[in-house]
Every structure is written in structure tokens, then in C-alpha cells.
Amino acid sequence: MNAKLDLKKRVIELLSANPEKRFKARDIAVWMTENYPEAAAAKMQKSGFIENQAQLLNQIVAEIGSNRPQWQKQLPQLRTTDGVRPRLFYWTEKSEAEEVADIESGRNLFVEFGAPAEHAAEPTATVVEKKVVRRSEHDLYPMLIEFMESEHNVRGQRIDEKKSSNKYGSGGNKWLFPDVVGMENLTDGLHPEVVTAIRESRDTRIRLWSFEVKLLINRSNARETYFQAVSNSSWANFGYLVAANFEGAETMKELRILYAMHGIGLIRLDEENPPESQVLVPARERPDLEWAMCSRLAVENKDFQQFMTKVRQFFQTGDM
């Protein structure tokens, strides 16, 4: 048996034999050491600092991570999930546009592998298949609302664009309405006298948020979805593009470039545990609300009109 543990070759071997199935870097490392024990032993001996199996696995995981960007430039079939920890590796022959189409249509039920003993002193290669149920975009809205309220004190509300009047005809409301809006009480927890002083001074007591939600963002739809968020968040103090999955380092690079120009933030939504979702890039605050656009949205959509009613009631009573 070849005494060299060729990481790139082994990664391709495992992933290409299991297309669309997703593995953590540690799962790949465990598989390598158990399927190529002589090469793994030779790597441990040659290193001079690796003393046991756990350290060997940690080293292989680190090397997979450091080599990943270069491998992906060479191998377009090698994909990873970005903006999520741990990162998942998988192999696919689909184009990125086809991936988006599949996931939005509900056809993309994938299988994730996990090693239950990965934290043990001597982890095994035993893996358990975990079928990840593909949710619809609508399933993500309550998760986002839960995260924003629990972690950022933002009271969210769903905006259903189907409730719009569409009086401007087909396409007249395209990219006009966000999926979710939010309201943040800046006086929460302040002394009543301070709240009264703020009210009398007409200083800012509220910030409004806007969220555009997607199941998957990759290089094929990154710019389109970002500019959709730019368009339908123009009225708010904060605008966010939210996704359950950001895939590819180039995707995040492109989104960060767009952020520098437009200030729309990024949130990765944790489907399994919404409070553990992450603000990957904080949105840049707009100091003033665009009330004229709020008025148009309220005229066009009943959900947004109800949201504006809540805003008015807050200004009148201080209650959300």
C-alpha cells in the first residue's frame, strides 16, 4: 500500500463515490485513517510531533481546511457550505444554478454523515446517515423571527407579497416587498423619565428592519439576491439578506464586496436551532427612515399596513 496519505486524492475518492452526500472534515479524516492505516501511521511517524490518533485527526482536519480553497479552484465539483460551522464537504456534477433551482423546488433532499464518536480519544469511522429534510423558504420565516427577537430584541412580522394589490400590473411590485420586517424598541429598559424625555425631544425611539430570505445563496444567484435585498430594504434602518446556506468562498467574497457598496448585512439561519443563527456581516445603519416608501408599501400591501399600524401605536403608547 502507498505509504503516502495523499489528502487531495483521498478527499476526491470519498466524495466522488458518495455524490451529494455531505461530510465534515473530521469525518473525512476518520475515513482516511481507517481505510489507509499504513499511510496514516507513516504520516504520524514522519511528523515528529503527532503522538496519538486524536492529534493525527486534528492535523488532517487542519490540512484539509488549509488546502480547501486551492482544491476548489481546481475542482469545480468539490463544494462546501460556507458561513456555517462545521463546514460540510460534498461532490456534485450540478451547476450552481441547478443547485439553487433544486433547493427552491424542494427536490434537494440531501444526506449528511456524522461520526458520533468524533470527540472521543480514539474516534472511529462509524458514520450515521442523517437525512436533512429540505424545508421551503416559508419555513424559514418563523425561524428568523425567533432568532431576531431572542437575540436582538427585534419584533418580527411576515410580509406576504401575495396580499399586494398589484395595481401596477405584472412585475409592478417586483423586488418591492421584503419577506420579513422588524421593529426594535430603543427605549426598552430605560427609566420612564428618560423615555418621556426622549419622546418630548422627538429623538429616535425606534429602528425598523427588513429581511430578504433565501434557502441557498451561491455564486449563481449571489448578486441577484443581494440586489433584491437592496431594493426591498430601501425604506428601513437596517437591511439583511438571510440564507440557510451560503456556499463557496467566492460567494462570500462577492457578497462582502457588495456590502462595501450598499451596506446590506448577511445572516446565516440555523435551521436546526434558530437562536444559534449568526449575523455574518452586520448591516450598515441608515439614520433616517424613508417614510414615502413606507407609505407606498402600506398602500400596496395589507401586511405592511398592519406593520405600520404597530409602528404608529408604538409612537403613541410606547408599547410593542
Side-chain angles (χ1 to χ4, degrees):
M1 184 178 292
N2 190 342
K4 181 179 179 181
L5 192 62
D6 188 328
L7 297 189
K8 178 182 175 183
K9 186 175 181 180
R10 299 286 80 85
V11 168
I12 295 173
E13 177 185 348
L14 174 62
L15 297 185
S16 61
N18 297 276
E20 306 296 339
K21 295 179 181 179
R22 305 184 178 203
F23 297 82
K24 300 172 187 175
R26 178 167 291 273
D27 301 330
I28 299 173
V30 169
W31 177 87
M32 286 183 188
T33 58
E34 294 214 348
N35 284 272
Y36 296 91
E38 292 182 12
K43 181 176 181 66
M44 183 185 299
Q45 184 177 12
K46 184 179 178 180
S47 73
F49 65 88
I50 300 176
E51 298 179 351
N52 54 48
Q53 179 79 354
Q55 291 179 1
L56 174 63
L57 289 174
N58 289 339
Q59 180 62 27
I60 293 174
V61 168
E63 291 180 18
I64 290 174
S66 63
N67 284 287
R68 175 192 61 84
Q70 184 62 32
W71 292 345
Q72 288 188 282
K73 288 180 181 179
Q74 300 167 353
L75 300 163
Q77 304 95 327
L78 176 59
R79 305 283 175 80
T80 58
T81 57
D82 279 42
V84 57
R85 297 294 182 270
R87 178 179 282 115
L88 301 178
F89 292 72
Y90 66 103
W91 189 270
T92 182
E93 298 293 336
K94 296 176 184 176
S95 70
E96 290 173 314
E98 287 172 331
E99 277 196 282
V100 171
D102 279 355
I103 200 170
E104 290 184 349
S105 68
R107 294 193 299 268
N108 198 37
L109 175 67
F110 63 82
V111 176
E112 179 182 326
F113 283 84
E118 68 179 30
H119 298 299
E122 298 292 331
T124 71
T126 303
V127 293
V128 177
E129 284 194 8
K130 175 186 177 184
K131 290 187 177 181
V132 180
V133 178
R134 175 48 55 209
R135 298 180 172 93
S136 71
E137 184 179 299
H138 287 239
D139 293 330
L140 303 183
Y141 303 149
M143 298 179 191
L144 172 62
I145 291 171
E146 177 186 350
F147 167 63
M148 293 307 300
E149 184 163 354
S150 64
E151 299 299 318
H152 298 276
N153 198 32
V154 174
R155 188 71 58 84
Q157 178 182 323
R158 164 79 173 117
I159 302 296
D160 187 350
E161 64 179 15
K162 293 180 181 179
K163 295 182 180 180
S164 303
S165 67
N166 291 321
K167 67 180 181 181
Y168 292 98
S170 178
N173 288 333
K174 185 178 181 181
W175 292 7
L176 187 61
F177 298 101
D179 295 311
V180 175
V181 294
M183 180 167 55
E184 178 186 8
N185 179 5
L186 297 181
T187 66
D188 189 33
L190 298 182
H191 191 281
E193 287 296 332
V194 176
V195 174
T196 301
I198 293 173
R199 182 184 300 120
E200 293 299 324
S201 70
R202 297 175 183 265
D203 201 354
T204 302
R205 292 190 291 143
I206 195 173
R207 290 189 295 206
L208 302 185
W209 301 56
S210 174
F211 306 91
E212 181 63 32
V213 182
K214 300 295 178 185
L215 286 164
L216 168 66
I217 297 177
N218 61 24
R219 285 184 299 180
S220 73
N221 68 344
R223 290 183 64 83
E224 179 181 8
T225 55
Y226 194 91
F227 282 114
Q228 185 177 0
V230 170
S231 177
N232 58 30
S233 299
S234 61
W235 55 274
N237 298 115
F238 293 106
Y240 276 94
L241 179 58
V242 183
N245 292 283
F246 292 89
E247 293 190 351
E250 291 301 314
T251 300
M252 294 305 298
K253 181 178 179 181
E254 178 72 13
L255 292 173
R256 289 180 185 277
I257 290 173
L258 293 172
Y259 167 79
M261 294 186 288
H262 302 284
I264 298 297
L266 304 174
I267 293 175
R268 185 197 67 78
L269 194 61
D270 188 326
E271 297 175 84
E272 301 302 318
N273 189 2
E276 294 300 315
S277 300
Q278 295 174 288
V279 176
L280 301 178
V281 179
R284 194 158 58 236
E285 182 177 2
R286 300 186 190 94
D288 298 314
L289 292 168
E290 184 52 61
W291 291 113
M293 178 55 73
C294 289
S295 178
R296 179 182 173 186
L297 296 177
V299 168
E300 292 292 322
N301 184 277
K302 292 183 179 179
D303 282 347
F304 201 90
Q305 179 181 333
Q306 291 173 358
F307 178 63
M308 284 293 104
T309 298
K310 293 178 181 178
V311 172
R312 173 181 60 78
Q313 291 172 343
F314 171 78
F315 279 118
Q316 291 177 334
T317 67
D319 295 328
M320 294 182 68

